[in-house]
Amino acid sequence: MQFISTRGGMQPQPFSETLLEGLAPDGGLAIPETMPTVSPETLERWRALTYPQLAAEVLGLFATDIPREDLARMTEAAYADFPESVVPLRSIGDGITLVGLSEGPTLAFKDMAMQFLGQVLEYTLERKDSVLNILGATSGDTGSAAEHALRGKERVSVFMLSPQGRMSTFQRAQMFSLADDNVHNIAIEGVFDDCQNLVKHLAGDLEFKRSQHLGAVNSINLARITAQTVYYFWAWLRATDAGGPAEVSFTVPSGNFGNILSGFFAKQMGLPIRRLVLAANENNVLDEFFRTGVYRPRSAAQTLATSSPSMDISKASNLERFIFELVGRDPQRVVTAWRELDEQGFVDFTDEQPRFAEEFGIVSGTSTHADRLATIRSVYETTGETIDPHTADGVKVAREHIEDGVPMLVLETAKPQKFAETIREAIDVELDYSPELQEMLDAPQHVTEMDDDEHVLRSFIAAHALR
């Protein structure tokens, strides 16, 4: 299995090299040269596997340069501290089942990929006798998941950018309470898109990238996307009976288009998915795109601070991978599309819009603050279960797309404890924290505040990077 760039300027390379590159040298994103496929017979054989075993099978289709026994050892290690099922499924009525993705150390779905990424990065760097300085941007959950997966690792240092004042109290504590020498938290004056732009500018400077050994853990890193495909297979295997294939639909709360892109990969690989339902919050650029075919990112000033902050994103990095497929895998058309975006502020795919649902199975909807409060309240009143605001966005939009005879699976994004203020507003309940979580919330915080200044960031990285 080899990987190429969405912009056509990267020679095919194996999984391990792609893993360390992050952003491709031409500014594009890595994509499989040919998408692997899974037969119905193989799917049936996979029903008896544990989650780590299934992860080794699915990831082995992409990471063909890593011996399968090494891959199996890494997936076992990655999910060793999760509950036995790793990803439990539970019904909340109305034909909706939650896919429990928040059982990891930071109580968010990002752990599912990050715990594997921590294992495979360490493995690859040891084989190459090298180091890596991770530069990432987070709107909330990516940063804490990455830092908890990589903290204390000798060959990896983490520089994580976050928008000042835009994360929940719990999210800030999860990141800023870490005192490991290899973790550097940087709070940028601005919004998530400003942080993401800084990452892209520095990663696009090949001389700086090489000299500082820069890599990425955002979902621009293909290892994140491939690791997330696993739970789509896992959920399908538990929501259907043997002897399928039976179609299911997935609803995915989405900001940066990484999680739902993993579902798109799974569908391309042959998993019987009828609909991929994208749930946006008030920053609904992606909903507008999938409804109209016009992609019109908003400025930092137009990006709203909402009660589902991990989705407060107006320019989704991973949309480029979908556009690549939309334009027939023609890298020049991708380059042209982004040139048009730079020149006029939008890209028009209205002629292609009917294909979104008909060919790719993607539909979308928007949820507001009032919607998520009402959804949290209704789920709590009917089931006794408390869901976080992002998952509530998913449930709200999922209810609009339920079809008879098609199971609707909503991807849970986080535990409600991460967003206690919104839960209190919705159902007037004070959530309990374990002694360990309370200690984290009370711990001193370590963060460097910084202006949205590329030159200042360059100097900081150069002063603290591993060599």
Side-chain angles (χ1 to χ4, degrees), residues 144-163:
S144 57
E147 291 177 358
H148 282 259
L150 299 171
R151 62 185 300 192
K153 294 193 180 298
E154 295 181 359
R155 295 179 179 271
V156 182
S157 190
V158 182
F159 297 84
M160 189 58 62
L161 312 184
S162 61

Side-chain angles (χ1 to χ4, degrees), residues 382-421:
T382 57
T383 70
E385 177 141 6
T386 306
I387 59 174
D388 88 285
H390 308 77
T391 305
D393 288 335
V395 171
K396 184 267 180 183
V397 175
R399 287 170 170 169
E400 301 166 355
H401 292 277
I402 291 175
E403 298 174 285
D404 289 341
V406 182
M408 175 62 78
L409 308 182
V410 176
L411 299 193
E412 180 188 66
T413 61
K415 294 293 187 188
Q417 283 82 355
K418 300 191 77 166
F419 306 96
E421 297 91 342

Side-chain angles (χ1 to χ4, degrees), residues 64-313:
T64 55
D65 59 323
I66 298 178
R68 185 59 65 91
E69 59 270 22
D70 291 345
L71 201 56
R73 177 181 52 78
M74 285 186 278
T75 57
E76 288 288 348
Y79 303 112
D81 294 331
F82 285 66
E84 184 177 353
S85 64
V86 182
V87 178
L89 272 63
R90 58 196 191 277
S91 171
I92 57 170
D94 298 328
I96 293 175
T97 297
L98 294 184
V99 181
L101 301 176
S102 55
E103 305 299 322
T106 71
L107 314 184
F109 84 94
K110 303 292 178 73
D111 290 322
M112 298 303 303
M114 286 297 187
Q115 288 297 309
F116 169 72
L117 188 61
Q119 295 290 327
V120 73
L121 275 176
E122 189 172 46
Y123 171 86
T124 303
L125 291 169
E126 286 177 355
R127 291 176 72 186
K128 296 173 71 71
D129 190 23
S130 185
V131 298
L132 191 67
N133 294 296
I134 296 294
L135 176 60
T138 184
S139 55
D141 292 331
T142 295
S144 57
E147 291 177 358
H148 282 259
L150 299 171
R151 62 185 300 192
K153 294 193 180 298
E154 295 181 359
R155 295 179 179 271
V156 182
S157 190
V158 182
F159 297 84
M160 189 58 62
L161 312 184
S162 61
Q164 292 180 24
R166 290 270 182 155
M167 298 188 296
S168 74
T169 300
F170 193 101
Q171 288 173 316
R172 288 194 296 272
Q174 276 194 317
M175 292 173 59
F176 302 165
S177 64
L178 297 181
D180 301 78
D181 290 339
N182 71 326
V183 173
H184 307 279
N185 280 301
I186 304 169
I188 298 295
E189 179 63 42
V191 299
F192 170 78
D193 291 320
D194 297 316
C195 301
Q196 186 163 257
N197 287 337
L198 287 169
V199 171
K200 288 186 174 181
H201 288 161
L202 268 62
D205 181 341
L206 297 186
E207 182 178 348
F208 186 79
K209 181 180 180 180
R210 297 284 185 259
S211 67
Q212 304 301 327
H213 303 283
L214 290 188
V217 291
N218 284 50
S219 50
I220 60 176
N221 189 312
L222 191 70
R224 281 272 310 278
I225 302 300
T226 54
Q228 289 175 169
T229 63
V230 178
Y231 48 70
Y232 286 89
F233 284 91
W234 174 265
W236 182 89
L237 289 166
R238 272 137 196 85
T240 62
D241 296 324
E247 287 187 323
V248 305
S249 292
F250 288 92
T251 297
V252 189
S254 189
N256 213 20
F257 202 71
N259 199 2
I260 195 167
L261 179 75
S262 298
F264 179 63
F265 272 30
K267 183 175 173 63
Q268 287 183 302
M269 293 168 72
L271 191 67
I273 296 175
R274 173 162 171 75
R275 287 280 183 260
L276 289 164
V277 184
L278 182 148
N281 68 6
E282 293 91 334
N283 296 296
N284 57 350
V285 171
L286 289 175
D287 180 30
E288 179 185 14
F289 172 65
F290 283 101
R291 284 188 296 101
T292 69
V294 177
Y295 179 54
R296 194 189 308 270
R298 298 172 188 165
S299 67
Q302 295 171 317
T303 302
L304 303 173
T306 77
S307 53
S308 49
S310 296
M311 293 156 61
D312 289 349
I313 298 169

